[in-house]
Amino acid sequence: MERPLEATRMEKNTSCFLMERKTRVKTSRKEIVLAKLRKSCSCSPRKLKNFVMDFLPVLRWLPKYQCKEYIWGDVMSGLVIGIILVPQAIAYSLLAGLKPIYSLYTSFFANIIYFLMGTSRHVSVGIFSLISLMVGQVVDRELILAGFDLNDDAPPVLGDGSLQSDGQTNTTAFNLTAAGMSATCGKECYAIGIATALTFVAGVYQVLMGLFRLGFVSMYLSESVLDGFATGASLTILTAQVKYLIGIKIPRSQGHGMLVITWVNIFRNISQANICDVITSAICIVVLVAAKELGDRYKHKLKFPLPTELVVIVVATLVSHYGNLNEVYGSSVSGAIPTGFIAPEVPRFSLMLRVAVDALPLAVVSFVFTVSLSEMCAKKYAYTIRANQEMFAVGFCNIIPSFFHSFATSAALAKTLVKTSTGCQTQVSGVISAMVVLLVLLFLAPLFYSLQKCVLACIIIVSLRGALRKFRDVPARYHANKVDTVVWVVTMAASALISTEVGLLVGIVFSMICIIVRTQRPRAALLGQIQDTSFYEDDLEYENLSSIPKVKIFRFEAPLYYANRNYFLKSLYRLTGLDPNLEVARRKKYEKKEKQHVKKEDHTTANGLGGGDTTLQLVPKQIDFQTLIVDCSCISFLDTTGVNTLKEILKDYKELNISVLLACCNPAVIDSLKRGGYFGKDCGSMQEMLFYSIHNAVQFAQDQKLAEDCSV
């Protein structure tokens, strides 16, 4: 069915031009759904091939791999990332509350799977401090609920993955039932069971989000929310590492307010600090920070970053081993790291039910960081990624490794930047990194037995420099956008002082509230004409604007809907200086008083009494305009309340003989007005009420006034 013609008056011409809207062909939703089902359910060799190649993008780009051009950059970046991965994987195991071997497994499998499924050429996927922290918080909570003591070290793992039992509290047996079999599980076994169950569920969530095209969820995590979340979590990470830094044993706090409770316990037990760990930490932090600063200053001269973490770990391990720091000074060390792979195991369904809720924020954060970094790299190096495929890739980077005693992964900013700066060309570099980790897993892991935990804590803390430097940017951020700064502060404070999951939720909700508030109380203004032009601007913001006699031009800079209806009316009445409802009521009251006065005078005259001077106190207000033009250029949509509001002001001002004209309405607003009956039956009066520019409306109002003056 064709749409009716829409009439409008064009600038500098009083004639009426007809604009015909395009005809929209309405298709049945049922037909659309059936067509999509037929298309998706049909199968052909070509479609199957495309499906496989889309699911495994490596099949598309690897046959086109330009070995001579790419191999050197990929090998170099892969080796550097692999060297960085090893110490970071061992260090981040402290955050996850797991043994270092599981962090190495995670780094190995994530690189291999993303090589097969990822669409970004430069992103480094693997162990990430923020994700490790979120996993560790869930693991610690479940260990406490299961009756384990978090402050005891778990028993060492044997090469075959079994646990040694020493009969102490930390080996308290916990009965688990899976697949109809009962197994006795110790603290470490239960901890990795929780971590793999959490990782599996998070991966399933990500795959389901990919299947249902729910990638838009990431839009609700603004840059301010993500930055605030990362900074708040960094404070939590730093706090959790201080006890290793100075070598004290304090209870591991859980739940809300962990940061405050931990610092209280640190200061209470500061006298028990291990002098050996304090000295080691001070030396390591000085060396790491100095190397990082030098690396940042001379990065344009360096072909690849200095492997400072690896050098520090090697030197510290040798000093600890030959100096017997664990036996002589009681310094806490990493302990035995087994070589080889533990037999794969299916994550336990009973544990999945316990962590199903915790896996949701983990899945969202992991996906958002991965896609954000992928898009950043794709934009910088001029290629495209598929966000939905990234969702599948990171999902399977969690699902598959969860069977191999690994925990949740994500793309990491620092390693991604290193990867791009060392000449990475494709994800072949990820395979090289995985091979470096595999070398450690198979042969070199036991060499890290004497590595002090305080050294690992130093590596973690120094890696937080980027996130903690965000505090320096607060003044500039506040100058750029005050609302975004408030969102950042609220998210950061909630993430640090309450918990990371709650902080993320608080940040999202608060950010959305800010958006709602800004649309509830948007800017409203009266417009004046820029001299000798057909353009109009805010009279309060610009000098030398001309007012139009007998015309008021009102702009509302937001959609008009139920939440800001009252603010719209209040702003309109305040800026125009006229509330039509009050003025109509005042006039009716004046007319009533006038009738009573006339009647009283007639009665007095009939009785032969002289009429005295009487002055009516209630006088109708003099209205200084005859036309109200509403600039709708900033009104993106109207709901039913919005349409009724415009109809209401049309009716109210009409009682005062004031015309209401609408200008610059978009097609969606026009359709809403039509459906709401704003233009009357058959839209007959539309050409006299709707204009495609403010100047057209002003000219029409002036022509009307001129016609009225001539008729008088």
Side-chain angles (χ1 to χ4, degrees), residues 376-451:
M376 180 188 75
C377 294
K379 183 178 180 180
K380 182 177 180 180
Y381 292 97
Y383 62 92
T384 58
I385 64 160
R386 289 184 287 128
N388 209 54
Q389 179 60 26
E390 288 294 298
M391 183 104 68
F392 285 125
V394 74
F396 281 100
C397 279
N398 286 325
I399 291 177
I400 297 174
S402 67
F403 290 84
F404 296 91
H405 307 277
S406 302
F407 54 90
T409 58
S410 169
L413 176 61
K415 290 192 285 290
T416 298
L417 294 178
V418 170
K419 206 171 184 181
T420 56
S421 66
T422 51
C424 172
Q425 299 292 330
T426 68
Q427 277 297 339
V428 169
S429 63
V431 178
I432 305 298
S433 301
M435 294 303 105
V436 174
V437 176
L438 181 64
L439 182 67
V440 175
L441 277 169
L442 295 180
F443 305 106
L444 305 179
L447 300 179
F448 296 101
Y449 178 91
S450 299
L451 177 61

XYZ file of all heavy atoms in Angstrom, residues 376-451:
577
model
N 41.033 -3.283 17.805
C 42.097 -2.291 17.838
C 43.215 -2.661 16.862
O 43.693 -1.827 16.079
C 42.647 -2.160 19.255
C 43.772 -1.148 19.405
S 44.540 -1.193 21.041
C 45.504 -2.708 20.904
N 43.636 -3.919 16.894
C 44.715 -4.374 16.002
C 44.259 -4.376 14.545
O 45.024 -3.995 13.650
C 45.177 -5.772 16.402
S 45.982 -5.849 18.020
N 43.018 -4.803 14.303
C 42.516 -4.844 12.933
C 42.451 -3.444 12.329
O 42.792 -3.238 11.157
C 41.127 -5.483 12.916
N 42.045 -2.466 13.132
C 41.981 -1.084 12.645
C 43.374 -0.542 12.358
O 43.596 0.147 11.361
C 41.273 -0.220 13.686
C 41.077 1.222 13.258
C 40.312 1.997 14.324
C 40.117 3.452 13.897
N 39.378 4.224 14.933
N 44.328 -0.875 13.224
C 45.688 -0.354 13.070
C 46.373 -0.941 11.844
O 47.112 -0.237 11.143
C 46.492 -0.672 14.327
C 47.913 -0.133 14.299
C 48.638 -0.414 15.606
C 50.064 0.130 15.577
N 50.778 -0.142 16.853
N 46.129 -2.227 11.555
C 46.851 -2.897 10.474
C 45.968 -3.176 9.257
O 46.315 -3.987 8.403
C 47.468 -4.198 10.991
C 48.571 -3.950 11.991
C 48.316 -4.013 13.362
C 49.852 -3.619 11.589
C 49.313 -3.768 14.292
C 50.861 -3.366 12.504
C 50.579 -3.446 13.860
O 51.569 -3.200 14.773
N 44.790 -2.518 9.212
C 43.948 -2.498 8.001
C 43.486 -3.883 7.556
O 43.718 -4.287 6.416
C 44.685 -1.790 6.866
N 42.873 -4.615 8.458
C 42.179 -5.847 8.070
C 40.923 -5.950 8.921
O 40.672 -5.102 9.790
C 43.076 -7.087 8.218
C 43.546 -7.386 9.622
C 42.828 -8.229 10.462
C 44.744 -6.859 10.109
C 43.267 -8.521 11.742
C 45.198 -7.144 11.381
C 44.453 -7.971 12.197
O 44.886 -8.267 13.466
N 40.119 -6.940 8.657
C 38.847 -7.055 9.368
C 38.836 -8.321 10.215
O 39.498 -9.317 9.897
C 37.658 -7.107 8.384
O 37.822 -8.216 7.490
C 37.562 -5.810 7.601
N 38.066 -8.254 11.286
C 37.829 -9.438 12.107
C 36.330 -9.716 12.124
O 35.522 -8.858 11.751
C 38.325 -9.242 13.553
C 37.521 -8.130 14.236
C 39.806 -8.956 13.592
C 37.583 -8.181 15.732
N 35.968 -10.897 12.537
C 34.559 -11.252 12.705
C 34.293 -11.423 14.193
O 34.758 -12.389 14.801
C 34.235 -12.522 11.925
C 34.237 -12.297 10.405
C 33.826 -13.529 9.647
N 34.865 -14.549 9.650
C 34.682 -15.809 10.002
N 33.502 -16.228 10.432
N 35.671 -16.669 9.954
N 33.550 -10.462 14.757
C 33.328 -10.459 16.202
C 32.642 -11.736 16.662
O 32.951 -12.274 17.734
C 32.497 -9.239 16.604
N 31.722 -12.244 15.858
C 31.013 -13.454 16.258
C 31.956 -14.649 16.286
O 31.878 -15.503 17.184
C 29.848 -13.719 15.302
C 28.711 -14.457 15.972
O 28.205 -14.021 16.997
N 28.331 -15.580 15.402
N 32.868 -14.720 15.315
C 33.847 -15.804 15.309
C 34.822 -15.663 16.469
O 35.269 -16.670 17.043
C 34.604 -15.820 13.974
C 35.672 -16.885 13.860
C 35.122 -18.309 13.999
O 33.953 -18.562 13.715
N 35.959 -19.240 14.434
N 35.147 -14.414 16.847
C 35.989 -14.196 18.022
C 35.317 -14.755 19.275
O 35.975 -15.297 20.161
C 36.280 -12.706 18.189
C 37.234 -12.134 17.173
C 38.632 -12.711 17.307
O 39.268 -12.525 18.355
O 39.080 -13.382 16.357
N 33.994 -14.601 19.329
C 33.237 -15.152 20.447
C 33.389 -16.673 20.482
O 33.619 -17.262 21.544
C 31.762 -14.775 20.310
C 30.895 -15.242 21.449
S 30.436 -13.959 22.590
C 29.370 -12.910 21.658
N 33.263 -17.312 19.318
C 33.451 -18.765 19.257
C 34.884 -19.140 19.631
O 35.107 -20.122 20.352
C 33.137 -19.286 17.850
C 31.678 -19.351 17.528
C 31.167 -18.718 16.406
C 30.796 -20.035 18.347
C 29.822 -18.771 16.101
C 29.453 -20.097 18.052
C 28.953 -19.460 16.925
N 35.850 -18.376 19.132
C 37.254 -18.705 19.376
C 37.581 -18.660 20.864
O 38.153 -19.612 21.417
C 38.158 -17.744 18.600
N 37.209 -17.561 21.527
C 37.524 -17.465 22.947
C 36.689 -18.449 23.760
O 37.129 -18.963 24.791
C 37.328 -16.010 23.437
C 35.859 -15.642 23.556
C 38.021 -15.778 24.768
N 35.479 -18.769 23.254
C 34.658 -19.778 23.931
C 35.309 -21.144 23.923
O 35.388 -21.824 24.950
N 35.820 -21.552 22.762
C 36.481 -22.858 22.683
C 37.876 -22.827 23.308
O 38.402 -23.882 23.680
C 36.543 -23.328 21.226
C 35.244 -23.899 20.741
C 34.379 -23.137 19.970
C 34.862 -25.186 21.085
C 33.171 -23.652 19.531
C 33.658 -25.717 20.652
C 32.796 -24.947 19.875
N 38.473 -21.619 23.435
C 39.722 -21.503 24.200
C 39.475 -21.766 25.682
O 40.429 -21.970 26.443
C 40.314 -20.103 24.026
S 41.244 -19.892 22.501
N 38.219 -21.740 26.089
C 37.867 -22.088 27.463
C 37.318 -23.510 27.570
O 37.668 -24.238 28.499
C 36.829 -21.091 28.003
C 37.423 -19.743 28.312
O 38.562 -19.644 28.753
N 36.672 -18.684 28.072
N 36.465 -23.906 26.626
C 35.813 -25.220 26.725
C 36.822 -26.354 26.591
O 36.900 -27.248 27.448
C 34.710 -25.348 25.649
C 33.544 -24.419 25.978
C 34.218 -26.794 25.574
C 32.446 -24.421 24.926
N 37.598 -26.352 25.517
C 38.513 -27.476 25.263
C 39.607 -27.584 26.325
O 39.832 -28.662 26.886
C 39.109 -27.366 23.847
C 37.991 -27.474 22.804
C 40.165 -28.452 23.616
C 38.447 -27.243 21.369
N 40.307 -26.489 26.671
C 41.346 -26.618 27.706
C 40.811 -27.013 29.074
O 41.574 -27.543 29.891
C 41.959 -25.214 27.753
C 41.706 -24.633 26.415
C 40.356 -25.155 26.040
N 39.515 -26.780 29.340
C 38.974 -27.160 30.650
C 39.036 -28.672 30.867
O 39.022 -29.141 32.008
C 37.532 -26.670 30.786
O 36.663 -27.350 29.896
N 39.115 -29.442 29.789
C 39.276 -30.899 29.908
C 40.728 -31.269 30.228
O 40.997 -32.413 30.595
C 38.854 -31.590 28.605
C 37.372 -31.548 28.347
C 36.796 -30.450 27.755
C 36.555 -32.604 28.725
C 35.430 -30.399 27.509
C 35.194 -32.569 28.498
C 34.630 -31.461 27.895
N 41.641 -30.291 30.085
C 43.063 -30.561 30.285
C 43.624 -29.752 31.454
O 44.760 -29.282 31.408
C 43.832 -30.243 29.003
C 43.462 -31.115 27.837
C 42.447 -30.732 26.971
C 44.103 -32.323 27.620
C 42.090 -31.538 25.896
C 43.757 -33.130 26.551
C 42.742 -32.741 25.687
N 42.786 -29.564 32.474
C 43.225 -28.919 33.719
C 43.715 -27.485 33.480
O 44.725 -27.064 34.053
C 44.319 -29.750 34.396
C 43.938 -31.175 34.615
N 43.190 -31.599 35.692
C 44.173 -32.284 33.877
C 42.988 -32.900 35.612
N 43.582 -33.350 34.518
N 43.004 -26.746 32.661
C 43.319 -25.346 32.404
C 42.170 -24.475 32.895
O 41.058 -24.951 33.101
C 43.541 -25.111 30.905
O 44.580 -25.935 30.420
N 42.443 -23.177 33.062
C 41.374 -22.284 33.492
C 41.207 -21.148 32.487
O 41.860 -21.125 31.444
C 41.614 -21.765 34.912
C 42.943 -21.104 35.142
C 43.106 -19.740 34.956
C 44.043 -21.851 35.566
C 44.321 -19.128 35.177
C 45.266 -21.240 35.799
C 45.401 -19.874 35.595
N 40.318 -20.207 32.800
C 39.823 -19.237 31.821
C 40.926 -18.365 31.231
O 41.905 -18.028 31.898
C 38.753 -18.359 32.460
N 40.733 -17.989 29.971
C 41.721 -17.186 29.239
C 41.049 -15.976 28.603
O 39.827 -15.882 28.518
C 42.387 -18.021 28.136
O 41.362 -18.502 27.250
C 43.145 -19.177 28.702
N 41.897 -15.099 28.129
C 41.430 -13.898 27.432
C 42.613 -13.304 26.702
O 43.764 -13.695 26.923
C 40.855 -12.897 28.438
O 40.625 -11.646 27.832
N 42.336 -12.348 25.824
C 43.423 -11.588 25.217
C 44.006 -10.641 26.261
O 43.294 -10.139 27.126
C 42.907 -10.796 24.024
N 45.310 -10.437 26.197
C 46.003 -9.580 27.168
C 46.627 -8.404 26.434
O 47.327 -8.582 25.431
C 47.069 -10.369 27.910
N 46.375 -7.192 26.933
C 46.840 -5.981 26.257
C 48.363 -5.913 26.179
O 48.925 -5.658 25.108
C 46.299 -4.751 26.985
C 46.787 -3.394 26.454
C 46.362 -3.203 25.011
C 46.263 -2.260 27.317
N 49.050 -6.139 27.303
C 50.505 -5.968 27.327
C 51.186 -6.910 26.332
O 52.049 -6.488 25.543
C 51.035 -6.213 28.736
N 50.793 -8.173 26.351
C 51.427 -9.139 25.442
C 51.049 -8.859 23.987
O 51.840 -9.103 23.077
C 51.042 -10.562 25.856
C 51.677 -11.006 27.166
C 51.517 -12.481 27.413
C 50.113 -12.858 27.835
N 49.791 -12.386 29.195
N 49.834 -8.356 23.765
C 49.431 -8.002 22.398
C 50.278 -6.864 21.864
O 50.716 -6.879 20.703
C 47.940 -7.617 22.372
O 47.150 -8.734 22.785
C 47.514 -7.203 20.979
N 50.537 -5.856 22.704
C 51.382 -4.740 22.277
C 52.810 -5.197 21.996
O 53.447 -4.742 21.036
C 51.378 -3.645 23.349
C 50.038 -2.941 23.577
C 50.159 -1.923 24.698
C 49.549 -2.274 22.297
N 53.314 -6.106 22.833
C 54.655 -6.661 22.597
C 54.669 -7.440 21.284
O 55.618 -7.352 20.493
C 55.074 -7.562 23.773
C 56.345 -8.328 23.434
C 55.275 -6.738 25.034
N 53.613 -8.161 21.035
C 53.528 -8.977 19.827
C 53.591 -8.106 18.571
O 54.301 -8.421 17.610
C 52.218 -9.765 19.858
C 52.232 -11.055 19.065
C 50.975 -11.847 19.351
C 51.028 -13.192 18.648
N 49.804 -13.982 18.888
N 52.848 -7.007 18.593
C 52.843 -6.122 17.425
C 54.175 -5.389 17.268
O 54.614 -5.127 16.143
C 51.710 -5.092 17.542
O 51.853 -4.356 18.772
C 50.356 -5.781 17.540
N 54.825 -5.083 18.384
C 56.079 -4.332 18.311
C 57.263 -5.197 17.899
O 58.325 -4.672 17.561
C 56.380 -3.677 19.663
O 56.632 -4.661 20.655
N 57.108 -6.512 17.918
C 58.216 -7.411 17.570
C 58.054 -8.015 16.181
O 58.693 -9.010 15.852
C 58.337 -8.533 18.612
O 57.063 -9.155 18.818
C 58.848 -7.994 19.926
N 57.158 -7.439 15.384
C 57.066 -7.848 13.989
C 56.097 -8.967 13.691
O 56.199 -9.597 12.636
N 55.145 -9.226 14.580
C 54.173 -10.299 14.339
C 53.367 -10.013 13.072
O 52.934 -8.894 12.834
C 53.247 -10.419 15.546
S 51.860 -11.551 15.295
N 53.143 -11.057 12.273
C 52.370 -10.934 11.044
C 51.089 -11.767 11.084
O 50.062 -11.331 10.580
C 53.219 -11.370 9.838
C 54.463 -10.547 9.624
C 54.163 -9.128 9.197
O 53.159 -8.859 8.549
N 55.039 -8.194 9.568
N 51.160 -12.965 11.679
C 49.991 -13.852 11.737
C 50.004 -14.610 13.063
O 50.923 -14.463 13.882
C 50.016 -14.872 10.580
O 51.109 -15.778 10.781
C 50.157 -14.190 9.227
N 48.990 -15.455 13.245
C 48.897 -16.245 14.468
C 49.859 -17.436 14.481
O 49.838 -18.237 15.425
C 47.460 -16.752 14.660
C 46.532 -15.738 15.307
C 46.968 -15.362 16.714
O 47.710 -16.078 17.375
N 46.524 -14.204 17.170
N 50.701 -17.557 13.469
C 51.784 -18.545 13.539
C 52.674 -18.238 14.744
O 53.238 -19.152 15.373
C 52.603 -18.538 12.232
C 53.886 -19.349 12.385
C 51.768 -19.108 11.087
N 52.772 -16.968 15.096
C 53.563 -16.601 16.275
C 52.999 -17.235 17.536
O 53.741 -17.558 18.471
C 53.597 -15.082 16.433
O 52.283 -14.574 16.657
N 51.661 -17.429 17.586
C 51.049 -18.096 18.732
C 51.505 -19.535 18.872
O 51.686 -20.037 19.989
N 51.702 -20.212 17.737
C 52.197 -21.595 17.772
C 53.629 -21.621 18.310
O 53.992 -22.508 19.090
C 52.129 -22.223 16.366
C 52.684 -23.637 16.381
C 50.689 -22.228 15.865
N 54.440 -20.658 17.895
C 55.817 -20.586 18.397
C 55.821 -20.376 19.912
O 56.579 -21.020 20.650
C 56.594 -19.450 17.701
C 56.552 -19.621 16.172
C 58.020 -19.386 18.198
C 57.198 -20.883 15.670
N 54.955 -19.477 20.390
C 54.850 -19.251 21.837
C 54.431 -20.522 22.560
O 54.950 -20.842 23.640
C 53.847 -18.127 22.122
O 54.233 -16.927 21.503
N 53.479 -21.246 21.958
C 53.023 -22.496 22.569
C 54.165 -23.511 22.647
O 54.268 -24.279 23.614
C 51.847 -23.067 21.777
N 55.042 -23.524 21.639
C 56.167 -24.452 21.651
C 57.157 -24.115 22.772
O 57.743 -25.009 23.391
C 56.888 -24.428 20.296
C 56.059 -24.950 19.129
S 55.460 -26.653 19.394
C 53.728 -26.354 19.777
N 57.348 -22.815 23.029
C 58.228 -22.407 24.131
C 57.645 -22.888 25.459
O 58.365 -23.430 26.316
C 58.404 -20.877 24.134
C 59.203 -20.440 25.355
C 59.097 -20.416 22.858
N 56.330 -22.687 25.631
C 55.673 -23.150 26.864
C 55.749 -24.670 26.963
O 55.970 -25.220 28.051
C 54.205 -22.671 26.900
C 53.483 -23.226 28.127
C 54.132 -21.155 26.894
N 55.594 -25.360 25.842
C 55.679 -26.826 25.837
C 57.065 -27.291 26.269
O 57.194 -28.286 27.006
C 55.355 -27.347 24.434
C 55.380 -28.866 24.262
C 54.294 -29.522 25.127
C 55.167 -29.241 22.793
N 58.089 -26.584 25.838
C 59.454 -26.925 26.244
C 59.604 -26.849 27.760
O 60.214 -27.723 28.388
C 60.444 -25.974 25.554
C 61.925 -26.208 25.833
C 62.367 -27.541 25.234
C 62.772 -25.070 25.260
N 59.020 -25.821 28.346
C 59.063 -25.680 29.806
C 58.267 -26.794 30.459
O 58.696 -27.400 31.466
C 58.523 -24.299 30.229
C 58.446 -24.191 31.748
C 59.396 -23.194 29.659
N 57.092 -27.093 29.902
C 56.233 -28.136 30.476
C 56.915 -29.500 30.480
O 56.774 -30.276 31.431
C 54.923 -28.226 29.680
C 53.813 -27.231 30.041
C 52.708 -27.282 28.998
C 53.262 -27.558 31.417
N 57.633 -29.791 29.418
C 58.208 -31.133 29.284
C 59.553 -31.286 29.989
O 59.874 -32.377 30.474
C 58.367 -31.470 27.798
C 57.065 -31.593 26.993
C 57.381 -31.918 25.540
C 56.147 -32.659 27.588
N 60.346 -30.199 30.059
C 61.710 -30.366 30.550
C 62.127 -29.392 31.651
O 62.832 -29.776 32.586
C 62.714 -30.228 29.376
C 62.436 -31.153 28.235
C 61.895 -30.671 27.049
C 62.694 -32.519 28.340
C 61.630 -31.526 25.992
C 62.432 -33.376 27.294
C 61.899 -32.879 26.114
N 61.729 -28.133 31.565
C 62.335 -27.100 32.398
C 61.554 -26.759 33.661
O 62.074 -26.037 34.518
C 62.524 -25.813 31.571
C 63.326 -25.969 30.275
C 63.409 -24.628 29.558
C 64.719 -26.511 30.572
N 60.327 -27.226 33.787
C 59.482 -26.818 34.917
C 60.113 -27.100 36.283
O 60.032 -26.252 37.187
C 58.108 -27.489 34.806
N 60.731 -28.272 36.510
C 61.293 -28.534 37.853
C 62.391 -27.556 38.270
O 62.682 -27.438 39.462
C 61.857 -29.956 37.716
C 61.094 -30.572 36.595
C 60.850 -29.452 35.638
N 62.990 -26.862 37.308
C 64.069 -25.933 37.645
C 63.576 -24.722 38.439
O 64.376 -24.005 39.041
C 64.771 -25.449 36.369
C 65.427 -26.538 35.503
C 66.050 -25.924 34.263
C 66.478 -27.310 36.308
N 62.259 -24.499 38.428
C 61.706 -23.339 39.128
C 61.294 -23.670 40.564
O 60.595 -22.883 41.195
C 60.489 -22.801 38.364
C 60.816 -22.275 36.996
C 60.569 -23.044 35.868
C 61.385 -21.030 36.833
C 60.867 -22.573 34.608
C 61.696 -20.551 35.575
C 61.438 -21.320 34.451
N 61.741 -24.796 41.096
C 61.343 -25.226 42.443
C 61.691 -24.170 43.492
O 60.880 -23.855 44.365
C 62.029 -26.555 42.792
C 61.723 -27.048 44.189
C 60.652 -27.889 44.421
C 62.515 -26.655 45.279
C 60.351 -28.326 45.701
C 62.225 -27.086 46.561
C 61.146 -27.935 46.772
O 60.845 -28.358 48.034
N 62.882 -23.614 43.436
C 63.358 -22.700 44.479
C 62.969 -21.247 44.242
O 63.409 -20.359 44.983
C 64.888 -22.796 44.592
O 65.288 -24.104 44.957
N 62.182 -20.978 43.219
C 61.789 -19.597 42.930
C 60.903 -19.052 44.055
O 59.878 -19.631 44.398
C 61.039 -19.537 41.596
C 60.497 -18.175 41.180
C 61.636 -17.176 41.018
C 59.699 -18.301 39.891
